[in-house]
Amino acid sequence: MTELDTVLITHPAPSITLVTVNRPRLRNAVDTPTARKLYDALLAFDADEAQKVCILTGADGAFCAGFDLHTVSQSPLPASPVASTPSIAPMGPSRLRLSKPLIAAVEGHAVAGGLELALLADMRIVSETAIFGVFCRRWGVPLIDGGTVRLPHIVGFGRAMDMILTGRAVDAQEALAMGLANRVVPKGHALAKATEIAEELLLWPQKCMRADRESAYYAAFDAGTFQEAMQNEFVEGSRVVQQESVRGAARFSDGAGRHGEFGGKRVAKL
């Protein structure tokens, strides 16, 4: 590993991609070259059909402290118009909408642009050391990587405005209570828990899971009306019925899934 390895890509299990921001001396703050590497890494994951779930984390006990303000003090953020497709953001991938699940494993600080990277994920698995916050409020740096768009959808408008206006620190337990965190685990265990959940996601019929995931995103961000969201859910879901549902129903009829067993593992009982 060299100084240039600011983004590490590994595979902790078959079909799982782990992307690690690796600038620990700066609490994994992202500069422009690192942003490009993150962007490329997540696009490569999304395009690789052999990879089903991605985990995003930071090295050495910190998730990401945001954009590297040392570089901003020397030159402005690079121009990156949203009109470009798919658009690269100052933090890299934070304007993307992936087609497959992304889990953030958060230890330590996920603040400013680091918070926005965490919001890109479908789920945030955090350790008891996690700190979230719009810390860029202190330095006159606005949220331009999706924070004002995604945060209200995840925690609700009132809680989002509290975080956005005050820039205060939100710890793991408060993040769990407001829905910003999905699980809280002991210090040092966020990545292990995220990997465990990623392995569970591999058990499910993938087209069905992705269709439901995309329908939820469409309803939250794209649909103009309730009826439009309902129509989209039915149309896109119907495409999966012949591809996976008929086969799945036949397996159920033949006895699969009894006593909580699925794919050789015991899953949560209904």
Side-chain angles (χ1 to χ4, degrees):
M1 190 167 64
T2 71
E3 279 290 312
L4 297 179
D5 295 323
T6 59
V7 174
L8 307 177
I9 303 170
T10 54
H11 299 282
S15 299
I16 297 174
T17 296
L18 173 62
V19 177
T20 304
V21 185
N22 184 47
R23 302 185 82 212
R25 290 187 297 106
L26 296 171
R27 288 188 178 178
N28 301 315
V30 169
D31 60 3
T32 297
T34 304
R36 168 58 68 174
K37 290 179 181 181
L38 282 171
Y39 177 80
D40 291 343
L42 290 191
L43 281 183
F45 156 74
D46 213 39
D48 186 350
E49 270 304 311
Q51 298 302 303
K52 311 297 185 186
V53 184
C54 183
I55 301 170
L56 178 63
T57 195
D60 293 356
F63 183 75
C64 176
F67 199 85
D68 186 351
L69 293 184
H70 295 292
T71 65
V72 176
S73 67
Q74 299 162 11
S75 62
L77 292 172
S80 50
V82 178
S84 61
T85 304
S87 174
I88 185 169
M91 291 295 295
S94 56
R95 290 183 188 148
L96 298 178
R97 188 157 106 192
L98 302 180
S99 66
K100 295 179 282 189
L102 174 66
I103 301 171
V106 180
E107 300 275 352
H109 284 74
V111 297
L115 169 64
E116 292 176 296
L117 281 181
L119 296 174
L120 173 65
D122 302 302
M123 301 176 65
R124 282 151 296 281
I125 310 306
V126 315
S127 89
E128 59 194 5
T129 67
I131 297 291
F132 298 93
V134 186
F135 283 16
C136 49
R137 179 63 57 247
R138 305 171 184 182
W139 315 115
V141 179
L143 296 169
I144 55 175
D145 281 79
T148 64
V149 178
R150 287 191 166 97
L151 187 61
H153 279 276
I154 293 170
V155 304
F157 188 80
R159 290 189 175 100
M161 292 308 290
D162 180 353
M163 292 183 67
I164 290 168
L165 295 178
T166 69
R168 69 182 180 85
V170 172
D171 66 17
Q173 289 301 325
E174 184 178 4
L176 181 66
M178 68 169 61
L180 181 54
N182 297 90
R183 310 276 199 285
V184 175
V185 296
K187 178 181 179 181
H189 289 265
L191 179 56
K193 185 62 176 179
T195 303
E196 177 187 324
I197 292 172
E199 290 176 334
E200 290 178 2
L201 299 188
L202 296 179
L203 295 174
W204 312 135
Q206 294 295 298
K207 291 180 182 178
C208 178
M209 182 177 67
R210 291 182 200 173
D212 285 348
R213 175 185 178 276
E214 179 56 29
S215 179
Y217 271 99
Y218 183 87
F221 294 103
D222 299 332
T225 66
F226 172 78
Q227 287 301 328
E228 193 176 317
M230 294 291 283
Q231 177 72 6
N232 177 78
E233 179 192 65
F234 179 77
V235 170
E236 297 302 322
S238 295
R239 301 181 198 279
V240 177
V241 171
Q242 291 302 319
Q243 297 171 330
E244 288 184 341
S245 304
V246 173
R247 186 168 63 251
R251 292 180 60 209
F252 174 81
S253 183
D254 289 340
R258 291 177 182 169
H259 310 297
E261 294 289 341
F262 192 90
K265 293 185 178 182
R266 181 173 294 278
V267 297
K269 292 184 178 181
L270 297 176

